[in-house]
Amino acid sequence: MSRILEALPFDCLQNIDLSEKRNKIASIISGFLFFSGWWFALDASASYYQDTRDVFHLCGVFATISMFMVNAVSNSLLRGDGFTDGCLGPVGGRIWFFFGFMMGFGSLIGACYILFGEYVYISDNVNNNFKPDHTYPGVAFFLQNVFIFLSSLTFKFGRSEDMWG
């Protein structure tokens, strides 16, 4: 981060040390991304209620559960050098972490289907009774899941975990 600030031509930005505020900045960015993701989905549901289905919110719910699953496991437990083994030890923590990421990627794939399968490609099948007039709700549900996934990654890997504090 300091190398980026040193490359800028402003003298006042070259003496900033953000290393002690890394956890705060990562938490704020993660919270903003999480809020923005849900804001997109709620905006689409409120503004274009006739062009949305309630089941489309499930991808966002699973992305949120994935965020909690991924961030529930500490980095020291993933590396195997934690003070306590927890409930199942490092192997159980890695399995939990893996299933959390699988749920996050699954919600992204589901959001891609919602965008392209329901909003971009509208079938002429007589059994298809969902024919939306606008594509914005599909984009909003996709952006919701992208932002929640980015929020999860930012909160997990953007912070530093001290083993002593």
Side-chain angles (χ1 to χ4, degrees), residues 102-121:
M102 277 185 25
M103 191 180 295
F105 282 120
S107 66
L108 276 176
I109 292 169
C112 286
Y113 172 75
I114 290 172
L115 173 60
F116 294 110
E118 298 289 336
Y119 286 97
V120 174
Y121 175 72

Side-chain angles (χ1 to χ4, degrees), residues 89-157:
V91 175
R94 290 175 186 147
I95 291 171
W96 184 263
F97 186 74
F98 177 71
F99 278 115
F101 264 116
M102 277 185 25
M103 191 180 295
F105 282 120
S107 66
L108 276 176
I109 292 169
C112 286
Y113 172 75
I114 290 172
L115 173 60
F116 294 110
E118 298 289 336
Y119 286 97
V120 174
Y121 175 72
I122 299 174
S123 174
D124 293 335
N125 190 357
V126 295
N127 294 328
N128 184 13
N129 57 2
F130 182 70
K131 298 185 188 311
D133 296 330
H134 302 91
T135 58
Y136 170 71
V139 173
F141 288 124
F142 178 73
L143 287 176
Q144 174 199 22
N145 287 281
V146 168
F147 281 179
I148 291 174
F149 188 73
L150 289 176
S151 169
S152 177
L153 290 178
T154 303
F155 196 73
K156 180 67 181 171
F157 299 113

Side-chain angles (χ1 to χ4, degrees), residues 44-53 119 130-134 137:
S45 294
S47 300
Y48 300 97
Y49 58 90
Q50 69 278 5
D51 288 339
T52 60
R53 289 184 175 170
Y119 286 97
F130 182 70
K131 298 185 188 311
D133 296 330
H134 302 91

